PDB file of all heavy atoms in Angstrom:
ATOM      1  N   THR I 224     -59.660 -49.223  -8.960  1.00 83.00           N
ATOM      2  CA  THR I 224     -59.581 -48.713 -10.331  1.00 83.00           C
ATOM      3  C   THR I 224     -58.487 -49.421 -11.115  1.00 83.00           C
ATOM      4  O   THR I 224     -58.667 -49.749 -12.298  1.00 83.00           O
ATOM      5  CB  THR I 224     -59.330 -47.198 -10.309  1.00 83.00           C
ATOM      6  OG1 THR I 224     -60.372 -46.551  -9.572  1.00 83.00           O
ATOM      7  CG2 THR I 224     -59.310 -46.645 -11.727  1.00 83.00           C
ATOM      8  N   LEU I 225     -57.346 -49.671 -10.481  1.00 83.00           N
ATOM      9  CA  LEU I 225     -56.274 -50.399 -11.175  1.00 83.00           C
ATOM     10  C   LEU I 225     -56.710 -51.820 -11.527  1.00 83.00           C
ATOM     11  O   LEU I 225     -56.406 -52.324 -12.616  1.00 83.00           O
ATOM     12  CB  LEU I 225     -55.018 -50.425 -10.306  1.00 83.00           C
ATOM     13  CG  LEU I 225     -54.321 -49.075 -10.096  1.00 83.00           C
ATOM     14  CD1 LEU I 225     -53.130 -49.230  -9.156  1.00 83.00           C
ATOM     15  CD2 LEU I 225     -53.871 -48.493 -11.427  1.00 83.00           C
ATOM     16  N   VAL I 226     -57.427 -52.466 -10.615  1.00 85.00           N
ATOM     17  CA  VAL I 226     -57.926 -53.816 -10.900  1.00 85.00           C
ATOM     18  C   VAL I 226     -58.933 -53.775 -12.044  1.00 85.00           C
ATOM     19  O   VAL I 226     -58.943 -54.657 -12.924  1.00 85.00           O
ATOM     20  CB  VAL I 226     -58.554 -54.426  -9.631  1.00 85.00           C
ATOM     21  CG1 VAL I 226     -59.264 -55.725  -9.958  1.00 85.00           C
ATOM     22  CG2 VAL I 226     -57.488 -54.667  -8.575  1.00 85.00           C
ATOM     23  N   ARG I 227     -59.774 -52.755 -12.065  1.00 83.00           N
ATOM     24  CA  ARG I 227     -60.732 -52.620 -13.171  1.00 83.00           C
ATOM     25  C   ARG I 227     -60.016 -52.473 -14.506  1.00 83.00           C
ATOM     26  O   ARG I 227     -60.426 -53.051 -15.512  1.00 83.00           O
ATOM     27  CB  ARG I 227     -61.637 -51.408 -12.947  1.00 83.00           C
ATOM     28  CG  ARG I 227     -62.786 -51.622 -11.979  1.00 83.00           C
ATOM     29  CD  ARG I 227     -63.666 -50.382 -11.925  1.00 83.00           C
ATOM     30  NE  ARG I 227     -64.325 -50.147 -13.193  1.00 83.00           N
ATOM     31  CZ  ARG I 227     -64.985 -49.026 -13.498  1.00 83.00           C
ATOM     32  NH1 ARG I 227     -65.020 -48.034 -12.620  1.00 83.00           N
ATOM     33  NH2 ARG I 227     -65.578 -48.899 -14.655  1.00 83.00           N
ATOM     34  N   VAL I 228     -58.943 -51.676 -14.514  1.00 79.00           N
ATOM     35  CA  VAL I 228     -58.203 -51.470 -15.764  1.00 79.00           C
ATOM     36  C   VAL I 228     -57.617 -52.788 -16.253  1.00 79.00           C
ATOM     37  O   VAL I 228     -57.673 -53.110 -17.448  1.00 79.00           O
ATOM     38  CB  VAL I 228     -57.091 -50.421 -15.562  1.00 79.00           C
ATOM     39  CG1 VAL I 228     -56.185 -50.354 -16.786  1.00 79.00           C
ATOM     40  CG2 VAL I 228     -57.700 -49.057 -15.297  1.00 79.00           C
ATOM     41  N   VAL I 229     -57.056 -53.583 -15.337  1.00 77.00           N
ATOM     42  CA  VAL I 229     -56.432 -54.850 -15.735  1.00 77.00           C
ATOM     43  C   VAL I 229     -57.478 -55.842 -16.228  1.00 77.00           C
ATOM     44  O   VAL I 229     -57.270 -56.541 -17.229  1.00 77.00           O
ATOM     45  CB  VAL I 229     -55.642 -55.438 -14.550  1.00 77.00           C
ATOM     46  CG1 VAL I 229     -55.120 -56.828 -14.895  1.00 77.00           C
ATOM     47  CG2 VAL I 229     -54.485 -54.514 -14.176  1.00 77.00           C
ATOM     48  N   ARG I 230     -58.623 -55.895 -15.578  1.00 77.00           N
ATOM     49  CA  ARG I 230     -59.648 -56.885 -15.923  1.00 77.00           C
ATOM     50  C   ARG I 230     -60.571 -56.439 -17.039  1.00 77.00           C
ATOM     51  O   ARG I 230     -61.251 -57.270 -17.639  1.00 77.00           O
ATOM     52  CB  ARG I 230     -60.497 -57.209 -14.682  1.00 77.00           C
ATOM     53  CG  ARG I 230     -59.728 -57.923 -13.584  1.00 77.00           C
ATOM     54  CD  ARG I 230     -60.649 -58.214 -12.421  1.00 77.00           C
ATOM     55  NE  ARG I 230     -59.969 -58.972 -11.362  1.00 77.00           N
ATOM     56  CZ  ARG I 230     -60.544 -59.343 -10.224  1.00 77.00           C
ATOM     57  NH1 ARG I 230     -61.821 -59.022  -9.996  1.00 77.00           N
ATOM     58  NH2 ARG I 230     -59.865 -60.017  -9.332  1.00 77.00           N
ATOM     59  N   ARG I 236     -61.842 -50.547 -20.901  1.00 69.00           N
ATOM     60  CA  ARG I 236     -60.424 -50.348 -20.590  1.00 69.00           C
ATOM     61  C   ARG I 236     -59.922 -49.051 -21.197  1.00 69.00           C
ATOM     62  O   ARG I 236     -59.192 -48.285 -20.552  1.00 69.00           O
ATOM     63  CB  ARG I 236     -59.604 -51.523 -21.103  1.00 69.00           C
ATOM     64  CG  ARG I 236     -58.105 -51.315 -20.945  1.00 69.00           C
ATOM     65  CD  ARG I 236     -57.317 -52.513 -21.416  1.00 69.00           C
ATOM     66  NE  ARG I 236     -57.491 -53.642 -20.515  1.00 69.00           N
ATOM     67  CZ  ARG I 236     -56.886 -54.816 -20.685  1.00 69.00           C
ATOM     68  NH1 ARG I 236     -56.089 -55.006 -21.720  1.00 69.00           N
ATOM     69  NH2 ARG I 236     -57.090 -55.800 -19.837  1.00 69.00           N
ATOM     70  N   PHE I 348     -51.942 -54.979 -22.837  1.00 58.00           N
ATOM     71  CA  PHE I 348     -52.593 -54.248 -21.753  1.00 58.00           C
ATOM     72  C   PHE I 348     -53.567 -53.216 -22.301  1.00 58.00           C
ATOM     73  O   PHE I 348     -54.680 -53.064 -21.799  1.00 58.00           O
ATOM     74  CB  PHE I 348     -51.534 -53.572 -20.884  1.00 58.00           C
ATOM     75  CG  PHE I 348     -52.104 -52.798 -19.735  1.00 58.00           C
ATOM     76  CD1 PHE I 348     -52.620 -53.453 -18.628  1.00 58.00           C
ATOM     77  CD2 PHE I 348     -52.136 -51.410 -19.761  1.00 58.00           C
ATOM     78  CE1 PHE I 348     -53.153 -52.743 -17.574  1.00 58.00           C
ATOM     79  CE2 PHE I 348     -52.664 -50.700 -18.705  1.00 58.00           C
ATOM     80  CZ  PHE I 348     -53.175 -51.358 -17.608  1.00 58.00           C
TER      81      PHE I 348
END
Side-chain angles (χ1 to χ4, degrees):
T224 303
L225 292 177
V226 171
R227 280 184 65 191
V228 171
V229 174
R230 293 181 177 179
R236 174 178 290 181
F348 180 74

